[in-house]
Amino acid sequence: MKLFTVFRKTFRERMRDFWLALLSMIMAPFFILIYYLMMGGSSFSSYDIILLSHDRGVTLEDGSTFNATDEVREVLSNIIWADSTKPVLSLREGYDRERAEQALRDRQREALLILDEDFSQSIYDRSMGDSLSRPKITLIGDLSNPYYTPAAVMAIGALDSYFMRATNTNPPYDFEEIALGGSASRTEFEFYVPGIFVAAVIFLLYEVCMLIAREVSAGTMDRLNLTRMKTWEYLGGITLTFIVFGLVQVVFALGTAIGLGFTSEGPIWITFLVGGLLILPVIAFGLITASFSRSESEAFVYSNFPLFLLIFFSGSMFPFSQPSWFHLFGRSFGPMDLLPPTHGVNALNKVMTHGCGIGDIWVELVIMMVLTVVYFAIGAYLFQWRQTKAR
């Protein structure tokens, strides 16, 4: 039948573009994997809270001691999700306040809970009938961190229950919530600007990949082989071109945000610096993708994969937790830290929301530059191997 003849012809043509067909087929599993990682493999999330206790405890008349911090630690650690054995809150200790607040800015932890020196004494006095005694707790967090609110709600709810049980009264206590940096004054729109800013730069990948693929399909590589131009000279010229256009795009993006009411707590020039550095790894990823593309249409399809990888897994649009591989410079590193935009998002959040300076984001900048060199080296090698020497 002619129907099967057409089917056989189309199927064979499709299989000739094996990588194109494969990428199309794995796109759905790719998004499923993204949401699996975003949800931590289940619907049960765990929030990291730093417990910083200055509590001195109480020595009772019989010589025994009472330390309410131990009871608070047990209460917070035993909050379990329904139909699960996974704890809601994961307590972290051993921090001083400065290091704890740095962990909040790095989004390594969700909240900082501080108990004052007389915490145990206040709990004990109130349980003995002293209605004027009021325990004091302080909760510090980055309000722009989407994980802070559920962590704070869970912690305060558990403390309310503990106070009622420990004192047999309603839970009057002095509660102070401190917003880290300028996060208290940020609008919901301003919370999302750093991530959108990074995503806007990532979209340059389309242009880079398609322009290089156009040059390849037009025979530019064949003509370059007849000249004395080196591969690095050709790629350097393309890189400089997209740096210029990328910086213009950064200016337009930031100008639009400012025109709509966005304000940066930190210096604007640092924002431009981070945006400029983000352009370089995006160009590198575009070069890697173009190395496997024989035409503009293939480049368009292939570039979707690294584009979604950079946007979703860098946390620019959807934040999610990641496993920790090792610790360096006082922070944990995981698989998502292999993506340069991850560090760009962290740096911009620190500058735009917390008013940090260049000295506070040097780790992110150094890692971004190191990763950029690595990805550029990979891209240059693949391009020379597949698009230059192969011709």
Side-chain angles (χ1 to χ4, degrees):
M1 293 178 61
K2 295 181 179 179
L3 183 148
F4 291 105
T5 301
V6 174
F7 166 76
R8 186 168 59 252
K9 168 186 172 296
T10 306
F11 184 83
R12 287 176 176 175
E13 291 176 347
R14 180 69 168 167
M15 291 307 297
R16 288 193 192 106
D17 293 323
F18 174 75
W19 290 108
L20 188 62
L22 180 62
L23 285 177
S24 298
M25 287 186 289
I26 67 174
M27 193 60 70
F30 173 68
F31 278 106
I32 292 174
L33 175 62
I34 287 175
Y35 278 94
Y36 175 87
L37 293 173
M38 288 171 60
M39 302 301 172
S42 71
S43 59
F44 307 110
S45 299
S46 180
Y47 305 101
D48 290 328
I49 289 186
I50 300 173
L51 178 61
L52 178 58
S53 177
H54 302 296
D55 188 13
R56 296 176 297 192
V58 179
T59 301
L60 305 180
E61 294 181 357
D62 59 3
S64 61
T65 59
F66 168 68
N67 194 316
T69 298
D70 294 335
E71 297 183 348
V72 168
R73 185 182 292 113
E74 183 178 0
V75 166
L76 295 178
S77 300
N78 289 332
I79 308 174
I80 306 296
W81 288 110
D83 301 322
S84 173
T85 58
K86 186 174 183 179
V88 177
L89 302 177
S90 179
L91 292 186
R92 309 290 181 175
E93 299 187 67
Y95 289 76
D96 56 31
R97 180 158 176 170
E98 181 180 355
R99 182 166 163 252
E101 291 186 357
Q102 184 60 47
L104 298 182
R105 281 190 289 269
D106 291 335
R107 297 199 172 182
Q108 302 288 302
R109 304 289 181 255
E110 276 69 68
L112 167 62
L113 179 65
I114 302 177
L115 307 181
D116 73 342
E117 296 178 343
D118 297 321
F119 183 75
S120 291
Q121 186 68 59
S122 299
I123 294 290
Y124 178 76
D125 291 344
R126 191 165 187 85
S127 67
M128 299 302 292
D130 184 358
S131 60
L132 298 179
S133 181
R134 298 174 66 89
K136 180 180 179 180
I137 60 174
T138 303
L139 191 66
I140 303 176
D142 176 5
L143 273 59
S144 66
N145 185 345
Y147 294 127
Y148 168 72
T149 299
V153 170
M154 293 289 185
I156 295 303
L159 289 172
D160 281 347
S161 299
Y162 166 70
F163 286 136
M164 293 180 67
R165 185 173 68 255
T167 64
N168 295 315
T169 64
N170 290 328
Y173 53 86
D174 293 330
F175 172 68
E176 181 182 14
E177 183 179 38
I178 300 176
L180 199 65
S183 60
S185 60
R186 313 301 279 174
T187 64
E188 187 173 0
F189 165 68
E190 289 176 314
F191 285 158
Y192 289 102
V193 167
I196 297 173
F197 188 82
V198 172
V201 175
I202 292 174
F203 273 100
L204 273 174
L205 192 149
Y206 272 129
E207 297 181 54
V208 175
C209 187
M210 293 179 69
L211 182 141
I212 297 176
R214 186 187 307 130
E215 297 276 24
V216 171
S217 61
T220 302
M221 294 298 101
D222 295 326
R223 291 191 292 273
L224 285 178
N225 284 335
L226 300 176
T227 71
R228 294 184 177 182
M229 180 179 289
K230 303 252 189 315
T231 301
W232 70 266
E233 294 174 319
Y234 171 73
L235 297 179
I238 289 180
T239 299
L240 288 176
T241 300
F242 279 102
I243 287 176
V244 172
F245 280 97
L247 288 174
V248 173
Q249 185 167 318
V250 167
V251 171
F252 283 168
L254 191 58
T256 301
I258 293 174
L260 294 173
F262 173 78
T263 57
S264 176
E265 296 292 325
I268 290 294
W269 72 268
I270 300 181
T271 301
F272 283 117
L273 173 63
V274 176
L277 289 177
L278 275 172
I279 296 170
L280 296 174
V282 170
I283 295 174
F285 272 92
L287 177 60
I288 292 172
T289 308
S291 299
F292 297 92
S293 306
R294 295 169 297 180
S295 64
E296 286 185 75
S297 59
E298 283 191 2
F300 179 79
V301 175
Y302 291 165
S303 59
N304 281 299
F305 190 83
L307 182 114
F308 288 132
L309 182 74
L310 294 176
I311 287 181
F312 285 100
F313 283 83
S314 67
S316 62
M317 301 299 290
F318 302 98
F320 55 89
S321 58
Q322 63 170 329
S324 177
W325 283 352
F326 60 91
H327 286 78
L328 186 66
F329 302 120
R331 54 168 293 180
S332 64
F333 287 82
M336 311 315 169
D337 290 300
L338 295 175
L339 302 177
T342 299
H343 307 285
V345 173
N346 292 339
L348 288 175
N349 272 319
K350 288 182 179 181
V351 175
M352 292 179 167
T353 303
H354 303 299
C356 293
I358 196 74
D360 300 305
I361 62 170
W362 70 270
V363 173
E364 285 81 3
L365 297 183
V366 169
I367 295 174
M368 282 174 57
M369 288 187 286
V370 170
L371 291 175
T372 296
V373 171
V374 171
Y375 286 121
F376 252 114
I378 294 173
Y381 172 78
L382 289 175
F383 185 81
Q384 188 171 22
W385 173 48
R386 293 186 59 88
Q387 302 291 16
T388 304
K389 288 187 176 181
R391 291 177 172 272

